[in-house]
Amino acid sequence: MGKDDIKKLEETAKKIRRSIVETLSSAKAGHTGGSLSVTDILTVLYFKEMKIDPSRPDWEDRDRFVLSKGHASCGLYCALVERGYFAKDLLSTFDRTDGCLQGHPDMHKTPGVDMSTGSLGQGLSVGAGMAAGARLLKKSFRVFVVLGDGEVQEGQVWEAAMYAGHNKLDNLTAIIDYNKLQLASRVQDAIDLEPLADKFRAFKWNVIGADGHSIESLCKAFEKARKNKGRPSVIIADTVKGKGISFAENKVEWHVRVPKGDEIAKALDELK
Amino acid sequence: MRGTFIRTLEKMAKADKNIFLLTADLGYKLFDNFRDNYPDRFVNVGVAESNMIGVAAGLALSGKNVYCYSMVPFLTMRTFEQIRVDLCYHNLGVKLVGVGGGLVYGLEGMTHQAIEDISIMRSLPNMTVTAPGDPAEVECLIEESVRYKGPLYIRLGKDRDPVVHETAPDFKIGRGIVLKRGKKAVLFAAGNVLPAAKAAVEALEENGLSITLVSMHTIKPIDKKLVIECARRTKAVFTVEEHSLIGGLGSAVAEIIAESGEKVIFRRIALPDAYSKYMGSSGYLRKKYGLTPQAIANRITKELKKK
């Protein structure tokens, strides 16, 4: 991975962030903080790591992706547009009546969405099932599941973790968007997740740390996950909620707030 | 409705030091006052609804009066077995307060819409199931809930729900409220569809069809006496709710009518037994599924013509 490749991915991430700001501010709804914190992860997945073909969203050998933190749908839609799954002008229908880009991803409505999500805690189980399915079908596709950190408080996440660890699902990679904030508070003030890496290790997972806003760090982490055998991998990606917009970064209120008025130009300016 | 809920609960919590409020990471800013005034009696248990129900049961067994808050699907469906075993089996007085009944969170998609909750909660022994029709009913319900025995499910709309009752309603859990008397038919409404039901009845009145309107805010135990009395008087019974046709208010009233021996016209006005294939706001989805005042009025007119 050369410097130019990294630079290119950084530019792509910036484009996706700009789309997120434009889409959310035009819809006057959606989740800003979590869409921006997951952007670099989505960029590396869709533009480097995953074996996919935007012209064939139903291709049976494609790698699968589950956005278990479904409220970051806007980030996913903008990444799908950038990757060529559908036209950019569709983003103007985000969260609008009769559209196909719903508040939470719906596989019946949006091309490129492999699993409908929105009820937190369920995605990792489905991802583990897909990974087990690949093995049964003797297919080589891999499964990626992005979880929010607040979401990891759901008990079902740990049931899935135990199952995947026990079954040595090394074709499964979970990525935790660890931005340290949840809907109503800091994660550590609701239920602290630490020591998170130790928890996953105890559940028989290959644990990889990453800077969730460094393309290089993320690429290396995914490479480690790819090469790892005999255990599922989890990439604990340290991120910043609202990343890229100075006035939204690390602020609980930006979980659901969207840029409005002067904030829109200011945000887009920062993302030039 | 949620604003009225928390304002009323705060008022009650001031007088009653046993009142606890648990949230599964929902209601940003909504609970700031409560948390600041009663920091020891407010807990964000994290994104972990099933655990919240168990913790609530434990607190209740320690003599606390616990209110659990989340969105309807996460509060009633993910947690179903915890509610069944931890709360209902022991008849614990834990209150489950769900925001977003019916199609309120339309654009968020099916994960956030709630069309099966009344049916599910109604099937549980000991559970009381309520769906207040406006903020005035919410206030009365929360006041009464503090001393209510046994598990109680409260299905709220969201915010900016219109006020239907101009004066304080004569509210009691388990008893319907007659908002208007009319001879041609009776319309029972549950939950946040009440304003639309009222507007429909007013439109019918203008067209010379005088209809009895009842807010059936308690679906279980249902006000059987009132159902039979209204059926006997009008010979035409309609129910309306923002819930699936299966298991909600319509089913509860149907059970009574079927066993009563009364010969009446009976029709349920509700959502179909299907997840929405449309994407849109609650207002848009109500139009699509015939839950606007006009659609409700038209349906009643049509059915009465067949009489």
Side-chain angles (χ1 to χ4, degrees):
Chain A
M1 185 97 186
K3 281 224 161 70
D4 286 352
D5 297 325
I6 290 171
K7 185 108 192 113
K8 221 170 132 189
L9 288 178
E10 283 169 355
E11 283 307 312
T12 304
K14 200 172 271 184
K15 267 195 210 161
I16 294 172
R17 283 201 166 85
R18 288 177 64 86
S19 285
I20 290 171
V21 169
E22 286 161 0
T23 305
L24 293 175
S25 55
S26 144
K28 297 187 177 67
H31 294 76
T32 306
S35 293
L36 291 170
S37 67
V38 80
T39 303
D40 300 297
I41 296 166
L42 292 172
T43 303
V44 174
L45 278 168
Y46 276 93
F47 289 84
K48 167 128 200 324
E49 191 60 24
M50 288 201 293
K51 188 180 67 182
I52 46 175
D53 179 356
S55 69
R56 290 183 294 163
D58 297 328
W59 177 35
E60 61 178 65
D61 291 326
R62 73 190 184 283
D63 285 349
R64 306 299 200 267
F65 178 70
V66 179
L67 183 68
S68 194
K69 49 169 287 183
H71 54 279
S73 60
C74 188
L76 175 62
Y77 300 151
C78 293
L80 290 172
V81 162
E82 205 51 42
R83 190 68 175 84
Y85 278 87
F86 47 87
K88 187 170 184 186
D89 54 12
L90 221 54
L91 289 176
S92 64
T93 68
F94 172 72
D95 208 52
R96 301 270 166 89
T97 289
D98 274 341
C100 65
L101 304 177
Q102 198 175 257
H104 295 82
D106 187 328
M107 63 195 281
H108 302 299
K109 295 191 170 82
T110 312
V113 172
D114 289 325
M115 180 63 201
S116 307
T117 51
S119 180
L120 294 174
Q122 302 190 14
L124 191 57
S125 298
V126 178
M130 289 171 168
R135 189 178 278 177
L136 290 167
L137 294 166
K138 303 203 186 328
K139 294 268 187 192
S140 62
F141 70 77
R142 299 169 65 214
V143 184
F144 299 88
V145 181
V146 166
L147 298 108
D149 47 10
E151 175 179 16
V152 171
Q153 293 160 350
E154 288 282 7
Q156 188 184 347
V157 171
W158 298 101
E159 296 177 24
M162 226 182 314
Y163 169 83
H166 172 80
N167 286 291
K168 306 182 171 68
L169 297 174
D170 52 17
N171 52 352
L172 173 69
T173 302
I175 305 99
I176 296 174
D177 179 7
Y178 201 4
N179 61 35
K180 323 291 186 297
L181 299 179
Q182 54 193 88
L183 183 147
S185 72
R186 296 190 302 174
V187 172
Q188 67 181 80
D189 293 339
I191 304 286
D192 193 5
L193 303 181
E194 288 303 324
L196 187 56
D198 288 347
K199 286 189 176 79
F200 273 98
R201 271 188 211 109
F203 281 58
K204 301 177 184 171
W205 282 60
N206 172 42
V207 180
I208 305 160
D211 173 347
H213 297 309
S214 157
I215 297 291
E216 196 178 355
S217 172
L218 284 168
C219 287
K220 280 185 183 154
F222 279 111
E223 194 184 336
K224 280 184 198 162
R226 201 185 324 126
K227 289 182 175 160
N228 159 75
K229 295 291 166 222
R231 282 179 300 171
S233 291
V234 57
I235 297 172
I236 300 178
D238 281 311
T239 55
V240 173
K241 204 157 177 174
K243 176 72 180 179
I245 309 181
S246 57
F247 50 92
E249 287 185 359
N250 284 318
K251 293 210 171 73
V252 174
E253 64 179 293
W254 280 86
H255 180 83
V256 283
R257 251 206 74 178
V258 300
K260 56 187 179 198
D262 298 342
E263 293 168 354
I264 304 167
K266 211 179 152 212
L268 290 173
D269 194 50
E270 290 186 18
L271 292 167
K272 259 186 188 155
Chain B
M1 285 192 196
R2 63 178 174 186
T4 308
F5 152 64
I6 190 61
R7 278 192 298 278
T8 313
L9 190 68
E10 271 175 51
K11 188 176 76 185
M12 306 308 282
K14 195 173 179 183
D16 186 340
K17 294 201 166 21
N18 265 330
I19 292 178
F20 268 64
L21 175 59
L22 308 185
T23 175
D25 201 38
L26 277 167
Y28 173 64
K29 281 200 169 161
L30 186 65
F31 302 132
D32 284 5
N33 268 335
F34 191 100
R35 187 194 56 210
D36 294 347
N37 290 330
Y38 316 109
D40 299 338
R41 294 192 270 145
F42 172 81
V43 189
N44 178 2
V45 299
V47 191
E49 298 79 8
S50 302
N51 183 55
M52 173 166 72
I53 301 299
V55 170
L59 286 167
L61 288 166
S62 317
K64 304 302 178 193
N65 196 352
V66 187
Y67 289 72
C68 293
Y69 180 89
S70 186
M71 284 189 201
V72 170
F74 319 141
L75 180 72
T76 63
M77 300 181 201
R78 179 185 309 247
T79 55
F80 180 73
E81 206 193 357
Q82 282 79 9
I83 293 173
R84 174 177 183 259
V85 176
D86 301 345
L87 305 185
C88 291
Y89 183 53
H90 309 296
N91 202 22
L92 293 179
V94 170
K95 269 64 78 171
L96 305 174
V97 183
V99 68
L103 303 170
V104 167
Y105 286 106
L107 279 163
E108 302 297 346
M110 77 76 68
T111 54
H112 287 56
Q113 295 163 11
I115 63 166
E116 318 94 326
D117 54 307
I118 295 176
S119 178
I120 290 168
M121 289 293 103
R122 207 163 72 85
S123 72
L124 288 163
N126 290 332
M127 180 63 81
T128 295
V129 181
T130 63
D134 82 336
E137 291 188 13
V138 172
E139 186 174 351
C140 297
L141 172 56
I142 297 302
E143 284 176 2
E144 190 181 344
S145 72
V146 173
R147 281 169 303 282
Y148 195 73
K149 303 280 181 237
L152 170 62
Y153 172 48
I154 299 172
R155 180 201 226 222
L156 300 180
K158 195 181 163 197
D159 41 21
R160 294 191 288 277
D161 298 279
V163 174
V164 173
H165 299 281
E166 283 145 17
T167 54
D170 179 15
F171 187 97
K172 189 155 185 6
I173 294 171
R175 278 223 298 265
I177 302 171
V178 180
L179 280 99
K180 181 188 161 301
R181 288 279 182 188
K183 286 184 180 159
K184 296 286 185 191
V186 56
L187 176 62
F188 293 102
N192 51 346
V193 77
L194 184 64
K198 185 172 178 242
V201 167
E202 284 165 359
L204 289 167
E205 186 80 28
E206 277 176 26
N207 291 331
L209 272 180
S210 180
I211 309 279
T212 296
L213 174 63
V214 177
S215 172
M216 209 58 137
H217 50 74
T218 308
I219 300 109
K220 182 189 173 186
I222 191 100
D223 190 345
K224 188 173 173 183
K225 215 176 116 195
L226 185 62
V227 170
I228 292 176
E229 182 214 306
C230 291
R232 205 166 276 164
R233 273 194 206 190
T234 63
K235 301 291 177 199
V237 178
F238 295 88
T239 60
V240 63
E241 61 198 309
E242 208 167 285
H243 185 275
S244 149
L245 273 169
I246 294 178
L249 172 72
S251 296
V253 171
E255 288 159 15
I256 293 168
I257 302 276
E259 288 181 344
S260 71
E262 296 293 329
K263 283 194 79 179
V264 300
I265 290 177
F266 174 75
R267 294 289 183 275
R268 294 166 296 162
I269 304 171
L271 298 167
D273 174 28
Y275 294 109
S276 172
K277 59 174 183 265
Y278 306 106
M279 175 179 156
S281 64
S282 54
Y284 177 78
L285 296 178
R286 280 168 196 154
K287 256 185 222 159
K288 286 286 184 190
Y289 287 112
L291 289 176
T292 60
Q294 194 56 53
I296 296 167
N298 288 349
R299 178 81 192 276
I300 292 173
T301 308
K302 198 177 104 195
E303 297 293 346
L304 288 179
K305 271 189 190 149
K306 291 184 194 162
K307 204 170 172 178

